[in-house]
Amino acid sequence: GNSVTQMEGPVTLSEEAFLTINCTYTATGYPSLFWYVQYPGEGLQLLLKATKADDKGSNKGFEATYRKETTSFHLEKGSVQVSDSAVYFCALSSGSETSGSRLTFGEGTQLTVNP
Amino acid sequence: DTAVSQTPKYLVTQMGNDKSIKCEQNLGHDTMYWYKQDSKKFLKIMFSYNNKELIINETVPNRFSPKSPDKAHLNLHINSLELGDSAVYFCASSQGIKTGEQYFGPGTRLTVT
């Protein structure tokens, strides 16, 4: 079956530090890959996505590249801010017209950015 | 304008009770979902409906029964609540059955005592 593995957290950084959150996946076929972010007390928001190999998703200074050869989709940001403090989820989507699409999530990584 | 809304936001109840959570989306999407997030933040899909038709039904106890009266609404009814049902339940929607680009509601925190 499909699975997503994220680096264990929590991650604590100082403002303006470089961020990497590792994500690897196992899937049959060609899934789409996503990063979702959950701010305290809120639902998940789509941060970025990539639908095929070598695609780079980017948003709000965050980037991730779909690496099929290493089955990875690591999240990076060059300079984090206090407002980036949240839980980050890597996810993959697979399915069909008959079975429907389902998101398989990683465990989530809590990021805390200190001033 | 709230895209995906859920009520109530918090729900505290005793074991054995029956409760419902409601979800509405105003995005015009065809597909809606219920997810459960446990105390360790792990998210797992429970159900999915497309145009009011059930298309995903994970291994969820049959005490959980989803109902979709129309495309914009997906409710979750839980019978005979148990301590292990305590979690945050998220509703989500998407445009179409195949996309993983989903829009989530704010969640309903259910506490069973």
Side-chain angles (χ1 to χ4, degrees):
Chain A
N2 297 336
S3 67
V4 176
T5 302
Q6 287 180 235
M7 67 184 285
E8 287 191 20
V11 174
T12 302
L13 296 172
S14 297
E15 208 165 20
E16 299 183 2
F18 184 85
L19 169 71
T20 300
I21 301 178
N22 290 338
C23 171
T24 57
Y25 68 90
T26 302
T28 55
Y30 303 96
S32 295
L33 301 175
F34 304 83
W35 278 100
Y36 280 83
V37 58
Q38 184 178 25
Y39 297 102
E42 298 184 11
L44 278 73
Q45 301 174 23
L46 178 64
L47 181 60
L48 52 83
K49 68 177 181 180
T51 57
K52 60 183 188 297
D54 300 325
D55 267 2
K56 177 187 282 189
S58 61
N59 186 25
K60 299 181 182 179
F62 291 89
E63 292 183 342
T65 301
Y66 190 154
R67 301 283 187 204
K68 190 164 170 54
E69 63 276 12
T70 54
T71 61
S72 65
F73 193 54
H74 304 322
L75 182 68
E76 296 182 337
K77 186 175 185 183
S79 175
V80 293
Q81 306 300 312
V82 172
S83 57
D84 294 327
S85 298
V87 181
Y88 291 81
F89 292 91
C90 185
L92 69 82
S93 171
S94 61
S96 68
E97 289 290 343
T98 52
S99 68
S101 172
R102 60 190 69 205
L103 281 172
T104 300
F105 287 93
E107 305 91 341
T109 300
Q110 172 74 56
L111 170 67
T112 301
V113 180
N114 294 320
Chain B
D1 283 348
T2 304
V4 182
S5 59
Q6 295 178 229
T7 54
K9 189 166 176 63
Y10 299 97
L11 186 53
V12 181
T13 188
Q14 292 184 329
M15 285 175 54
N17 285 348
D18 304 338
K19 290 294 178 186
S20 291
I21 306 172
K22 296 187 175 183
C23 177
E24 177 180 2
Q25 55 94 5
N26 62 8
L27 297 167
H29 287 168
D30 295 330
T31 312
M32 297 184 73
Y33 311 80
W34 278 111
Y35 288 87
K36 179 180 180 181
Q37 185 176 47
D38 64 23
S39 58
K40 295 184 178 179
K41 299 282 190 184
F42 188 70
L43 275 152
K44 193 168 191 307
I45 190 166
M46 300 173 69
F47 302 102
S48 174
Y49 271 75
N50 185 61
N51 283 324
K52 301 194 298 175
E53 180 184 346
L54 181 65
I55 55 170
I56 293 175
N57 186 352
E58 291 295 284
T59 47
V60 177
N62 57 16
R63 298 182 294 102
F64 290 78
S65 53
K67 282 189 173 52
S68 182
D70 56 57
K71 274 177 27 172
H73 295 85
L74 179 61
N75 303 324
L76 182 65
H77 188 76
I78 315 170
N79 290 326
S80 302
L81 277 155
E82 300 177 358
L83 292 177
D85 298 332
S86 295
V88 182
Y89 293 84
F90 287 100
C91 177
S93 71
S94 67
Q95 182 57 57
I97 198 172
K98 289 181 66 176
T99 178
E101 187 170 340
Q102 298 179 11
Y103 293 79
F104 285 75
T108 296
R109 182 174 293 277
L110 171 65
T111 303
V112 182
T113 62

